[in-house]
């Protein structure tokens, strides 16, 4: 039997090991107890220091005794600091172990759930399911197209009637343009210039000049 088992009475094959949660809680309680002891020792150190300062060399025996007690309290305080550091390290290790245990437990639970889900689904089932989905989507598209197509709602018009109406509209637009052009005849014309143009020589005089010029050329 180990020393820890002898001290805490946890030996034996049938003894149940404590859980990490229980151990963490015990360590926290121990930390709180040691923290209170720290406060007590710090106050005692301050008191002994004040006693030593108060007596000084006037009462050397009392001052020395106070300093000795102060040193003893400081040693205890130092030991408690080391113990708290060890407990903190152990508590951190337990908390990490507890986290890892919980993570592994949840991962195992998820693995079992995944395995159970895959027992009812194989690759062939997945392909069949995807084919069904594709078929239903195509059917839904055909239904949507059929619903949105305007059939049998009074829109079956005679194309000849529509063409005649279109020609009437074009003729109406042409007549409108002709009326606009005829309306421009009322626009006033520019006034006639008041200055007289130079008089044009008579036809006879022009012929006589041409003959005189021809006779002069022949004489030369």
């Amino acid at each position: 039997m180990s020393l820890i088992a002898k001290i805490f009475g946890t030996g034996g094959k049938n003894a149940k090991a404590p859980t990490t949660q229980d151990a963490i809680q015990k360590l926290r309680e121990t930390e709180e107890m040691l923290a209170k002891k720290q406060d007590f020792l710090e106050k005692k150190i301050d008191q002994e220091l004040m006693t030593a300062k108060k007596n000084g060399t006037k009462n050397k025996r009392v001052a020395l005794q106070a300093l000795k007690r102060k040193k003893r309290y400081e040693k205890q305080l130092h030991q408690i600091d080391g113990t708290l550091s060890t407990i903190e390290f152990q508590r951190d290790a337990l908390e990490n172990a507890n986290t890892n245990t919980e993570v592994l437990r949840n991962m195992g639970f998820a693995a079992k759930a995944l395995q159970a889900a895959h027992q009812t689904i194989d690759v062939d089932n997945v392909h069949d399911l995807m084919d069904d989905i594709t078929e239903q989507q195509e059917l839904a598209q055909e239904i949507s197209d059929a619903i949105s197509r305007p059939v049998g709602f009074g829109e079956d018009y005679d194309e000849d009637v529509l063409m005649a109406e279109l020609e009437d509209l074009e003729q109406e637009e042409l007549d409108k343009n002709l009326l606009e052009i005829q309306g421009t005849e009322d626009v006033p014309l520019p006034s006639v210039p008041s200055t007289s143009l130079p008089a044009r020589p008579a036809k006879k005089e022009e012929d006589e000049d041409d003959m005189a010029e021809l006779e002069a050329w022949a004489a030369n």
Side-chain angles (χ1 to χ4, degrees):
M1 185 180 294
S2 64
L3 179 61
I4 296 178
K6 292 180 180 180
I7 295 174
F8 297 100
T10 57
K13 296 181 179 180
N14 297 327
K16 184 178 179 181
T19 63
T20 54
Q21 290 290 346
D22 293 339
I24 290 172
Q25 183 62 32
K26 290 292 184 181
L27 290 176
R28 286 177 178 171
E29 293 175 356
T30 304
E31 285 179 315
E32 293 177 358
M33 179 188 67
L34 292 176
K36 293 179 180 179
K37 186 65 178 294
Q38 275 183 325
D39 293 337
F40 172 77
L41 291 175
E42 288 174 354
K43 292 178 181 179
K44 296 295 290 183
I45 290 172
D46 292 337
Q47 292 176 358
E48 299 299 338
L49 184 60
M50 290 178 61
T51 301
K53 289 180 179 180
K54 182 178 179 181
N55 290 277
T57 56
K58 295 182 294 183
N59 193 345
K60 192 180 295 185
R61 186 181 62 82
V62 175
L64 290 175
Q65 290 296 327
L67 288 176
K68 289 179 182 180
R69 287 191 297 269
K70 171 180 169 295
K71 292 293 183 182
R72 188 170 64 253
Y73 294 148
E74 287 176 347
K75 183 178 180 180
Q76 294 178 15
L77 186 62
H78 181 71
Q79 291 174 344
I80 290 175
D81 289 339
T83 303
L84 284 174
S85 297
T86 303
I87 291 176
E88 183 179 3
F89 175 80
Q90 191 176 18
R91 180 170 52 81
D92 290 341
L94 283 171
E95 289 176 350
N96 291 333
N98 184 58
T99 301
N100 294 335
T101 302
E102 190 67 21
V103 170
L104 290 175
R105 184 184 294 113
N106 293 335
M107 291 177 64
F109 181 78
K112 290 180 180 178
L114 190 62
Q115 183 180 8
H118 285 165
Q119 288 178 354
T120 58
I121 299 177
D122 57 15
V123 177
D124 294 334
N125 292 335
V126 173
H127 287 308
D128 294 339
L129 178 61
M130 295 305 297
D131 292 339
D132 292 341
I133 292 174
T134 303
E135 182 180 355
Q136 294 302 320
Q137 288 178 342
E138 293 176 354
L139 179 60
Q141 185 64 40
E142 292 177 1
I143 294 173
S144 178
D145 294 341
I147 293 174
S148 62
R149 187 180 302 117
V151 178
F153 288 94
E155 293 188 1
D156 189 11
Y157 301 112
D158 190 351
E159 187 174 351
D160 294 336
V161 175
L162 295 176
M163 289 299 298
E165 184 177 355
L166 180 59
E167 291 175 358
D168 291 339
L169 292 174
E170 291 179 349
Q171 186 62 39
E172 181 180 348
E173 186 68 20
L174 181 60
D175 294 341
K176 181 179 178 182
N177 293 334
L178 290 175
L179 290 175
E180 291 178 354
I181 295 174
Q182 291 175 359
T184 58
E185 294 178 356
D186 297 334
V187 178
L189 298 175
S191 59
V192 180
S194 58
T195 58
S196 60
L197 297 174
R200 183 178 181 183
K203 178 73 171 153
K204 184 178 180 181
E205 293 178 355
E206 292 179 357
D207 294 340
E208 291 177 353
D209 293 338
D210 292 337
M211 288 300 294
E213 185 176 354
L214 181 58
E215 291 175 354
W217 179 78
N220 294 328

